[in-house]
Amino acid sequence: MGTHKKEANRKERQGKTGDGMGNVKTKGENFYRSAKKVKTLNMFKDGKAQRNAAGKITKSASYQTRERPVARVEPNRKWFNSTRVISQEALESFRSAVQAQASDPTTYLMKQNKLPMSLINDKPNVNGLKEHAAKIAVEAEPFKDTFGPKSQRKRVKLDFSSVEDLAGRTGDMHDTYLDRLEQAKLLSGTSGEADPEEGHENENGVLTTARESIFSKGQSKRIWNELYKVIDSSDVILHVLDARDPVGTRCKSVEKYLREEAPHKHLVYVLNKVDLVPSRVAAAWVRHLSKEFPTLAFHASMNNSFGKGSLIALLRQFSALHSDRKQISVGLIGYPNTGKSSVINTLRKKKVCNVAPIAGETKVWQYITLMKRIYLIDCPGIVPPNQGDSDESLLLRGSIRVENVEYPAQYIDAVLRRVQPKHLQRTYELRDYTDSVSFLELLARKA
């Protein structure tokens, strides 16, 4: 490397790339100050007032004069026109129209930030907290009517009219307490413990045993933490239901949480596994569930899927609704073994999530890119605590791994009651059985 190149590199590193002739005036060049430079220099001198030889201010500095300018309102006719107001009847009709629009599950393309929600909601929320009705009334009423000597005291609104009415409600309160106690026992796994004073029998005289721990799967704190992370991160939530038991696979507690705590999130039902039920049954369930939330029939399959185009079109509409964001997140929730990961694989048309014909394959939440502006979030299956759910219903629903049940033979009666005999005879080629014991005996002899 030559000396000239080394010197050029040194000047470039030190920022001395000029030739040193920057201050030298050239003949023919305009070296006077430009208007922009003069304005900048005057800005530095503008902070001081101009004084005469006696020291009196002849010209005040900017924004420091004590003289009051004479101001006058412009006599324009627009100040005397009628203001833009809305009558009470029009406001009531607008409220009813917006509430009808919000209650209709088929119309979901509505931006709340474009509407005057303060006029629609009677009780506005402050910082996400619901204000008490008494506080709103106090702020709305004048001081003299609330705290002055002529204050008006209103009678407190109670849910009961007399002491006898209050005493009559103790029975309902006691029943509610027993229901909550039974639910707590069900979650703790001690609902079947026998009483030693009763001879290990319950009130009906039937022997009871402790509930197996396998029936508490999907209710751990870790699973619920994963669920709330998915809900918080999602703009649209797809509730995957099993077409064979849509009512049994609905997480009503999660729906209530979304309705109360996150009403801005969109909830959509995906009725999966419609290939396992007749078409008329699936269509009837779609019509029934669409009365509450938008519902789509779906069949998760890599090669022969159903409802894939409708679901992608719906997600594109949600993406257009949130056009102010770079992308939206779509979370999939539901009971175990309802096909959440299979729905994601069907949308991507390749295996991006592990799937299995057993419950509990997905352990943690995971992000999957569907397209440039839509991301999918897979969630582990949850089993919300419900007092009406028995061990038998959880097992037949597919939420529990049958191979981990300690005594699976005791649930054969429920299978025989639910399945028609002709289907069992055609599948296992067995005839002339009367109960579960004879059915198992014939099946064991055939094997």
Side-chain angles (χ1 to χ4, degrees):
M1 184 181 293
T3 307
H4 178 74
K5 198 169 185 178
K6 289 183 180 180
E7 189 67 17
N9 292 338
R10 183 188 64 78
K11 289 183 178 181
E12 186 176 358
R13 288 196 306 270
Q14 297 179 359
K16 300 179 180 179
T17 55
D19 53 356
M21 301 293 292
N23 296 328
V24 178
K25 300 296 184 293
T26 309
K27 185 177 180 180
E29 180 184 0
N30 185 9
F31 56 90
Y32 296 102
R33 294 173 180 174
S34 61
K36 183 177 180 181
K37 184 173 290 186
V38 171
K39 185 177 180 181
T40 304
L41 294 176
N42 290 335
M43 181 182 64
F44 295 116
K45 299 190 300 181
D46 202 24
K48 296 181 180 180
Q50 297 180 6
R51 301 176 182 271
N52 54 11
K56 293 183 179 181
I57 297 178
T58 58
K59 184 179 180 181
S60 301
S62 299
Y63 306 107
Q64 293 183 1
T65 178
R66 295 179 178 273
E67 298 179 358
R68 296 181 180 180
V70 179
R72 184 171 178 267
V73 178
E74 178 188 3
N76 198 327
R77 291 183 59 87
K78 67 180 181 179
W79 300 112
F80 305 98
N81 294 339
S82 59
T83 57
R84 299 177 61 182
V85 297
I86 183 172
S87 62
Q88 188 66 25
E89 292 78 7
L91 180 60
E92 291 297 333
S93 62
F94 180 70
R95 284 183 179 180
S96 59
V98 172
Q99 290 177 359
Q101 185 86 356
S103 60
D104 189 1
T106 59
T107 57
Y108 43 82
L109 297 180
M110 183 177 63
K111 292 185 178 181
Q112 291 190 359
N113 56 355
K114 299 296 183 181
L115 299 175
M117 302 305 295
S118 59
L119 297 177
I120 301 172
N121 299 327
D122 293 332
K123 298 179 180 179
N125 298 342
V126 179
N127 298 328
L129 302 176
K130 296 181 179 180
E131 288 190 2
H132 198 276
K135 182 176 182 296
I136 298 177
V138 168
E139 291 180 351
E141 293 181 357
F143 179 83
K144 62 179 182 179
D145 293 343
T146 308
F147 301 103
K150 296 183 179 181
S151 59
Q152 300 176 1
R153 302 293 184 229
K154 294 184 179 181
R155 184 176 180 181
V156 181
K157 293 182 180 180
L158 301 177
D159 295 337
F160 46 87
S161 58
S162 60
V163 180
E164 291 77 8
D165 188 11
L166 177 61
R169 297 191 180 188
T170 55
D172 298 338
M173 296 170 64
H174 181 66
D175 294 339
T176 305
Y177 169 74
L178 292 180
D179 293 342
R180 292 183 179 179
L181 185 62
E182 183 66 24
Q183 184 177 0
K185 289 183 179 180
L186 185 66
L187 295 178
S188 61
T190 59
S191 60
E193 292 184 356
D195 190 357
E197 298 180 358
E198 297 291 337
H200 300 282
E201 296 182 357
N202 57 9
E203 297 178 356
N204 298 327
V206 181
L207 292 176
T208 58
T209 55
R211 189 169 188 252
E212 297 183 33
S213 59
I214 186 63
F215 292 101
S216 300
K217 296 296 183 180
Q219 301 176 0
S220 62
K221 185 177 180 181
R222 184 191 69 83
I223 295 295
W224 283 99
N225 289 338
E226 297 291 324
L227 171 68
Y228 286 121
K229 285 193 291 186
V230 171
I231 291 177
D232 293 340
S233 305
S234 302
D235 302 308
V236 181
I237 297 175
L238 301 181
H239 192 344
V240 183
L241 305 177
D242 195 332
R244 297 169 294 181
D245 188 10
V247 177
T249 53
R250 282 184 61 180
C251 305
K252 295 187 177 181
S253 59
V254 179
E255 295 177 10
K256 182 180 178 182
Y257 172 79
L258 291 174
R259 193 179 296 108
E260 294 179 354
E261 303 297 334
H264 58 282
K265 297 183 183 295
H266 308 280
L267 180 62
V268 179
Y269 287 143
V270 177
L271 194 64
N272 194 19
K273 302 182 181 180
V274 294
D275 57 315
L276 303 179
V277 297
S279 301
R280 56 181 179 83
V281 176
W285 276 116
V286 169
R287 288 194 300 269
H288 176 71
L289 295 174
S290 297
K291 297 178 182 178
E292 300 184 30
F293 295 101
T295 306
L296 294 177
F298 199 85
H299 168 42
S301 176
M302 300 285 287
N303 302 320
N304 188 18
S305 61
F306 175 77
K308 176 181 176 181
S310 301
L311 183 56
I312 292 181
L314 178 63
L315 297 181
R316 287 182 182 274
Q317 292 186 29
F318 283 125
S319 177
L321 175 63
H322 299 279
S323 58
D324 53 338
R325 301 183 182 180
K326 293 184 179 180
Q327 66 275 336
I328 63 171
S329 300
V330 181
L332 286 87
I333 64 173
Y335 269 77
N337 204 24
T338 54
K340 298 180 291 297
S341 301
S342 300
V343 171
I344 294 178
N345 292 339
T346 303
L347 295 178
R348 283 296 307 272
K349 209 173 182 179
K350 66 178 181 179
K351 185 179 180 181
V352 293
C353 299
N354 295 328
V355 295
I358 56 178
E361 180 67 20
T362 305
K363 302 296 189 300
V364 295
W365 70 321
Q366 50 185 339
Y367 260 93
I368 297 94
T369 304
L370 178 61
M371 53 188 67
K372 185 177 180 180
R373 298 197 70 252
I374 302 176
Y375 288 84
L376 302 176
I377 308 178
D378 193 10
C379 177
I382 56 169
V383 183
N386 189 2
Q387 187 180 2
D389 290 342
S390 60
D391 298 347
E392 178 182 297
S393 62
L394 291 176
L395 188 66
L396 296 180
R397 198 175 294 161
S399 303
I400 305 299
R401 295 192 179 185
V402 184
E403 62 272 14
N404 294 335
V405 178
E406 187 174 359
Y407 301 106
Q410 60 181 336
Y411 304 103
I412 301 299
D413 289 329
V415 177
L416 296 180
R417 288 194 305 268
R418 180 169 295 190
V419 183
Q420 298 183 9
K422 61 180 181 180
H423 298 314
L424 290 175
Q425 294 173 5
R426 183 180 58 187
T427 303
Y428 296 100
E429 298 179 356
L430 298 176
R431 296 181 182 276
D432 301 331
Y433 60 87
T434 57
D435 54 0
S436 61
V437 178
S438 61
F439 177 79
L440 292 177
E441 183 179 355
L442 292 176
L443 186 62
R445 287 181 179 179
K446 180 183 177 181

